[in-house]
Amino acid sequence: MEIWLDLRRIVYVLSDALDLVGIDDVGHGKRVAFMAARAGEVMGFSGTAIEDLLAAGMFHDCGVSSTGEHRNLAGGLDWDGQEAHCVRGQALASRFKPLAHLAPVIRWHHTHAQVLETMDLPVLVKVFANLIYLADRVDVMMALSGTDPLLARDGIFLTVKDNVGTRFRPDVVQAFLEAGSHEEFWLTLEPRTLSHWLNHQSAMPAPRYMSMSDLEALGGVFASIVDAKSPFTSEHSHAVAGVARLLSSLAGLSPDRSRKVGVAALLHDIGKLRVPDPVLDKPGPLDAPERATMIRHAFDTFNILNRIEGFQDIAQWAAFHHECVRGGGYPFGHSGDKLSVEARIIAVSDVFQALRQDRPYRAGMSIERALGLVDEMSLAGKLDPDVVGLLHSNIDACDHAARAQA
């Protein structure tokens, strides 16, 4: 099965998910993408090369999941441990074939130019990685200045010039200084203007057929980002997807549709990237403000995925995993016919896997106890009894999937 999707739009929309990690500091990846692309244009790049710079800029921090690590990104020109997210980002990008060629750029985007020059890498990788590095640090300098970018510009230029030949390549610096010589460059970085600029870029369609394997790989990348956000949920999304694919097949869905349900399950918690670490990691009951923060994750999941043309069904299946068959769920309050069998399958898979999974604060529940709680939720009208019945009658296989490692 192949699906007609716009890769450029996918890159743009899913960068919104990465933005959620910053919670209050959003848009870093988009600003980096814009600055790197504009400097790249000055260097004479065009077409596919600029698209690659935009994609690399928006995904350069895909190895960052926790809000704590995100704060480290704004700590100056360098900080201890900065390589870790580059290594993770390379591994994630390499798993999604349409963007795998950018994995080396992501890997080396914090490496100083003078070090890059000694490495056996293609020249284009060195240039792109250094463009991303410079744009990344300029964005941090703007944030640390606490002032209008137009007022911070001269100080930023001085810092950049002071690092020519060490941190930054001379040709990259020259291109950046030229690109940033006009006020328009800095004013475009304002959120509304930048969003308009990027929407214009993504509105020029780059449709392509993506195989189901590509779609699963993309879902797997973002599932890994979500699952890495907290040790409390490590491997959760991948295991939920395994249970959901199995239950979909048992429910009589076609192989292709079952795999598509698996993609939705991989992405069902993407909205949790917005949840602060202390809330997600809290081992006890949430208070009212914390619960309000947690509840919105399904809403954020829907809003992200629903903006990708061709993802509308995946968006609903993924986002409705806390809705209830007889009502009373969140965040939409859907029930009955508004909940497809696919959404009901993901809801059951999510609950069962969470109960069986070992967490840092508790061991996974026994099969008997987990099934007992699932049954209680079914009787209360929260979970679909037919899907729960499939879980019971195929418990060994479902439990194996729930306990599997990605």
Side-chain angles (χ1 to χ4, degrees), residues 227-235 281 357-360:
D227 288 351
K229 183 171 174 63
S230 169
F232 283 46
T233 57
S234 176
E235 305 292 347
D281 292 347
Q357 185 181 27
D358 291 330
R359 298 288 172 90

Side-chain angles (χ1 to χ4, degrees), residues 354-398:
L355 295 175
R356 285 290 288 146
Q357 185 181 27
D358 291 330
R359 298 288 172 90
Y361 60 93
R362 63 152 174 84
M365 294 183 184
S366 67
I367 292 179
E368 293 73 20
R369 177 62 177 148
L371 284 176
L373 289 177
V374 168
D375 288 341
E376 289 177 16
M377 295 179 71
S378 176
L379 291 172
K382 296 180 179 181
L383 298 176
D384 184 278
D386 292 334
V387 178
V388 171
L390 288 174
L391 177 68
H392 269 278
S393 58
N394 299 274
I395 188 57
D396 288 342
C398 289

Side-chain angles (χ1 to χ4, degrees), residues 71-83:
R71 283 192 291 270
N72 289 336
L73 301 180
L77 291 177
D78 295 294
W79 74 95
D80 290 338
Q82 64 185 13
E83 287 292 300

Side-chain angles (χ1 to χ4, degrees), residues 137-201:
R137 294 301 90 188
V138 167
D139 193 52
V140 168
M141 285 186 264
M142 283 193 294
L144 292 176
S145 74
T147 188
D148 188 288
L150 291 178
L151 298 177
R153 175 174 54 173
D154 289 345
I156 290 171
F157 280 174
L158 285 175
T159 301
V160 169
K161 290 176 182 177
D162 285 344
N163 287 276
V164 172
T166 54
R167 285 185 171 88
F168 309 129
R169 292 171 57 101
D171 54 349
V172 166
V173 169
Q174 182 179 351
F176 170 73
L177 294 176
E178 182 176 338
S181 63
H182 301 291
E183 289 78 5
E184 167 271 336
F185 176 90
W186 303 93
L187 294 174
T188 301
L189 293 169
E190 295 177 350
R192 180 176 295 183
T193 307
L194 181 60
S195 179
H196 177 76
W197 188 89
L198 287 168
N199 268 313
H200 176 71
Q201 301 298 314

Side-chain angles (χ1 to χ4, degrees), residues 37-320:
R38 289 292 295 270
E41 289 174 351
V42 172
M43 296 181 76
F45 297 121
S46 60
T48 301
I50 295 299
E51 286 188 20
D52 281 346
L53 271 174
L54 286 169
M58 285 189 274
F59 273 75
H60 77 282
D61 278 342
C62 64
V64 177
S65 296
S66 72
T67 51
E69 188 171 16
H70 189 276
R71 283 192 291 270
N72 289 336
L73 301 180
L77 291 177
D78 295 294
W79 74 95
D80 290 338
Q82 64 185 13
E83 287 292 300
H85 82 282
C86 300
V87 173
R88 289 196 301 270
Q90 177 192 36
L92 289 169
S94 64
R95 287 162 48 185
F96 181 48
K97 187 166 60 176
L99 297 181
H101 63 290
L102 299 179
V105 176
I106 292 172
R107 170 62 184 90
W108 304 112
H109 81 270
H110 273 285
T111 302
H112 294 187
Q114 61 186 3
V115 176
L116 280 174
E117 285 307 304
T118 69
M119 300 173 66
D120 185 19
L121 293 170
V123 173
L124 199 60
V125 169
K126 296 177 182 180
V127 173
F128 277 23
N130 204 236
L131 278 167
I132 298 298
Y133 179 37
L134 186 147
D136 177 89
R137 294 301 90 188
V138 167
D139 193 52
V140 168
M141 285 186 264
M142 283 193 294
L144 292 176
S145 74
T147 188
D148 188 288
L150 291 178
L151 298 177
R153 175 174 54 173
D154 289 345
I156 290 171
F157 280 174
L158 285 175
T159 301
V160 169
K161 290 176 182 177
D162 285 344
N163 287 276
V164 172
T166 54
R167 285 185 171 88
F168 309 129
R169 292 171 57 101
D171 54 349
V172 166
V173 169
Q174 182 179 351
F176 170 73
L177 294 176
E178 182 176 338
S181 63
H182 301 291
E183 289 78 5
E184 167 271 336
F185 176 90
W186 303 93
L187 294 174
T188 301
L189 293 169
E190 295 177 350
R192 180 176 295 183
T193 307
L194 181 60
S195 179
H196 177 76
W197 188 89
L198 287 168
N199 268 313
H200 176 71
Q201 301 298 314
S202 66
M204 296 181 287
R208 54 167 289 171
Y209 281 117
M210 291 178 62
S211 70
M212 181 57 71
S213 295
D214 285 341
L215 195 59
E216 288 171 324
L218 179 65
V221 166
F222 276 86
S224 294
I225 295 170
V226 173
D227 288 351
K229 183 171 174 63
S230 169
F232 283 46
T233 57
S234 176
E235 305 292 347
H236 171 69
S237 301
H238 288 92
V240 171
V243 179
R245 283 192 295 267
L246 177 57
L247 287 175
S248 296
S249 178
L250 294 169
L253 301 185
S254 70
D256 285 334
R257 199 162 187 84
S258 296
R259 293 175 71 182
K260 199 172 179 181
V261 172
V263 172
L266 286 167
L267 296 169
H268 79 285
D269 273 345
I270 197 170
K272 279 188 177 176
L273 289 173
R274 186 173 186 170
V275 179
D277 301 348
V279 175
L280 200 60
D281 292 347
K282 188 174 181 179
L286 302 180
D287 60 26
E290 291 166 341
R291 178 165 172 75
T293 298
M294 182 67 82
I295 279 176
R296 72 166 297 135
H297 80 272
F299 180 76
D300 287 329
T301 291
F302 180 79
N303 279 336
I304 291 167
L305 300 180
N306 197 48
R307 292 169 54 207
I308 301 174
E309 189 64 35
F311 258 51
Q312 279 66 38
D313 50 359
I314 288 177
Q316 293 183 22
W317 303 344
F320 293 173

